[in-house]
């Protein structure tokens, strides 16, 4: 089971984990990303191209499914305006054993950060705003899986 969703609505990690647990594996791993409020951030706006972004996320999920013996993958990424503290991304994996679930989860979040096309703009309490640039640390994290 591979589930890829790009949505503006909030998601419930408990519901997503329960669905993965229902697949019958012995190892479930997950990552939930939350918008940080560093530097007076009041909003993180995420834009995307619907067809391009979903296709890229599906390709990333397919790559993980080819590398590890997974029973399930769930990828959710939110779009639109998000406030600090809101959930922005969920990655969940299910496998018969923990190592595959944990490794695949780490791979998926590292690759989502660098290969999924999202455009992010930060808006601050002082009225300023800026586009978020790619970070070298994210590229280095993704490179370890190549």
């Amino acid at each position: 089971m591979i589930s890829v969703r790009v949505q503006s609505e909030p998601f419930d990690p408990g519901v997503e984990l329960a669905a993965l647990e229902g697949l019958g594996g012995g190892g479930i791993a997950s990552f939930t990303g939350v918008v940080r409020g560093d530097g007076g951030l009041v909003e993180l706006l995420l834009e995307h191209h619907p067809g391009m972004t979903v296709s890229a996320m599906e390709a990333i999920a397919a790559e993980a499914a080819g590398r590890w013996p997974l029973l399930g993958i769930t990828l959710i990424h939110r779009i639109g305006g998000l406030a600090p503290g809101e959930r922005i991304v969920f990655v969940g994996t299910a496998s018969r054993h923990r190592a595959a679930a944990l490794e695949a989860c780490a791979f998926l979040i590292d690759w989502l950060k660098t290969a999924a096309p999202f455009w992010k703009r930060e808006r601050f309490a002082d009225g300023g705003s800026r586009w978020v640039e790619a970070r070298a640390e994210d590229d280095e994290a993704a490179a370890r899986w190549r």
Side-chain angles (χ1 to χ4, degrees):
M1 173 203 83
I2 294 178
S3 175
V4 173
R5 302 191 316 255
V6 177
Q7 63 190 48
S8 57
E9 303 81 22
F11 58 85
D12 182 343
V15 169
E16 305 306 329
L17 288 170
L20 290 166
E21 290 170 3
L23 298 175
I28 309 297
S30 70
F31 172 83
T32 301
V34 175
V35 176
R36 293 184 307 271
D38 301 344
L41 183 82
V42 294
E43 181 187 62
L44 179 63
L45 177 67
L46 287 99
E47 297 180 357
H48 78 300
H49 182 282
M52 180 189 309
T53 303
V54 170
S55 292
M57 291 174 64
E58 289 172 342
I60 294 166
E63 178 71 24
R67 290 183 180 214
W68 290 277
L70 300 173
L71 301 171
I73 297 171
T74 301
L75 300 179
I76 302 171
H77 210 298
R78 292 186 62 199
I79 55 171
L82 302 174
E86 286 193 73
R87 295 180 188 122
I88 186 172
V89 64
F90 177 86
V91 175
T93 57
S95 184
R96 298 214 179 281
H97 302 285
R98 72 175 186 263
L102 289 167
E103 290 173 11
C105 187
F107 166 86
L108 285 162
I109 192 62
D110 285 345
W111 274 35
L112 273 179
K113 291 284 288 184
T114 57
F118 288 97
W119 294 269
K120 301 174 184 174
R121 192 176 73 206
E122 297 173 319
R123 190 169 56 84
F124 298 93
D126 67 3
S129 67
R130 69 177 178 215
W131 290 99
V132 177
E133 300 287 332
R135 298 181 336 158
E137 307 91 77
D138 293 335
D139 290 334
E140 291 168 11
R144 71 182 167 129
W145 300 105
R146 292 194 167 90

